[in-house]
Amino acid sequence: MPHPPAPPANLPADQRHGAHEATVHAAATLRGRIRVPGDKSISHRALMLSALAVGESRVEGLLEGEDVLATAAAMRAMGATITRGEDAIWRIHGVGVGGLLQPAGAVEMGNSGTSTRLLMGLVASHPITVTFTGDASLSGRPMKRVIDPLASMGADITASPGGRLPLMVRGLCPAVPISYELPVASAQVKSAVLLAGLNTPGVTRVIEPVATRDHSERMLAGFGATIEVEATNRGRIISITGEAELRPQTIVVPGDPSSAAFFMVAASVVPGSDVVVENVGLNPTRAGLLTALRLMGADITELDPRSVGGEPVADLRVRHAPLTGIEVPHDLAPSMIDEYPALFVAAAFAGGRTIARGADELRVKESDRIAVMKAALDACGVTTTEHPDGLTIEGSGGEPIAGGARIASRLDHRIAMSMAIAGLHARSPVTIDDASPVATSFPGFFALLETLGGTVSWT
Ligand code: S3P
């Protein structure tokens, strides 16, 4: 068999085929200005809603990570025309609400829980049958939380044992509107029901006792859907009127605060650092890590606050500062749920103890992020205590941690990136056994780390 062509020498190391084990060395200091890729949650929604609008929508700043590309492929398989111009603008010709077509085969969702759960909602009220498959991580994640409400709207869903992937959704058209109180604080479940409601006659309601990220509500309103949000003593009540007609939009996707998180922590813990992360989305339903880091004493300034695509955005200047352990307020959990692995790393360098509890949802992310981060930090010489709903971490008081470990990233991008950051201030380098999952949400992460002064070697 002929050998594949050698990768071009100028390709960032994390994108070179075959190099998956990354070793991160201690950095003297981190300095510079960077821009992180587009927001993953907003990118998924931009593709899905554009695919349901009649006419051409344009999306600028779309995250071109594997998870979002899985959504694009699925929307194409269901009839949308989606192209990327050389100007990096994505153009989407939608099929109209109610117009999704039967895909020819199963749709492969890779590692992406958001694609899977939101698309299950869309399919539930269309007259099509779709089989969803995914990688080992996604196939272990619970889907019952979306199956239950979508089944009560009339979808017929056959799942693998334990309510897992592969699963098949046979949509019902017309579906039945429901009023559904979320039993878990999950924007994916909320969004699945709202998206099912788009093609359902009447009003579909979601009651959200604990507020979660509201990108779906904002974007549905932007596309012209009739959607109302009421703050009540039961929580937020979101009502969507079905059989909607969506109008094509031009969307500018802000930078992902969940990707900025790694650099916010890195610059806070590596002595002498001064980093600006430009264009970071600061929707209050996503900004919990900023609050938590500030409670710990981080020095983070918001520069040039502005609005991008209907979302608040700023450039964040982060300078090294001594951090102090805190008890992380439980009510921050929904607004920083994806940032706990990065927060645990910040806590490992703080003075004293950090107690982060009330985050049991971490157990069902791309990995069990409580158990996996405990194992990773322990292997790097950090003392931690595991709780059912979080971790207690004894910090180093700003000193480097021991490091010198090979970390199992377990198909979880955020474990890989968090532990890479831990390696920046460790006595011995930290190796990530498989850094390839980083490409699901943050292609170019390691190259950006190197532009700030980090050193990464690949094997
Ligand atoms: C997301 C919601 C969250 C988050 C995920 C993205 C979304 O999941 O962890 O990365 O885009 O709606 P849950 O709904 O499971 O909390």
Side-chain angles (χ1 to χ4, degrees), residues 45 49 52 117-118 121-122 125 149-150 153 178 180 182 187-200 203-208 213-218 220 225-229 236-242 244:
R45 288 157 172 83
L49 295 189
L52 289 173
R117 294 188 176 128
L118 270 56
L122 278 184
S125 58
L150 298 178
M153 295 179 80
I178 56 169
Y180 190 67
L182 293 180
Q188 292 178 353
V189 178
K190 168 177 68 177
S191 303
V193 176
L194 294 176
L195 292 177
L198 261 184
N199 195 40
T200 300
V203 177
T204 298
R205 271 195 193 87
V206 178
I207 299 128
E208 183 176 64
R213 65 190 68 193
D214 63 356
H215 306 300
S216 296
E217 296 93 304
R218 287 177 188 241
L220 281 162
T226 304
I227 180 162
E228 275 168 31
V229 182
R236 292 166 82 245
I237 303 183
I238 306 134
S239 310
I240 185 158
T241 304

Side-chain angles (χ1 to χ4, degrees), residues 62-137:
L62 188 88
L63 168 62
E64 296 176 354
E66 288 167 1
D67 280 12
V68 175
L69 298 180
T71 290
M75 297 322 297
R76 280 193 191 106
M78 290 190 267
T81 305
I82 304 179
T83 53
R84 178 194 191 273
E86 276 176 14
D87 51 3
I89 308 273
W90 287 69
R91 292 177 174 77
I92 300 108
H93 286 263
V95 293
V97 171
L100 292 179
L101 302 177
Q102 174 68 44
V107 295
E108 168 56 45
M109 300 281 83
N111 191 253
S112 183
T114 310
S115 312
T116 308
R117 294 188 176 128
L118 270 56
L119 290 176
M120 286 172 66
L122 278 184
V123 170
S125 58
H126 277 76
I128 56 176
T129 300
V130 178
T131 299
F132 293 90
T133 58
D135 72 4
S137 153

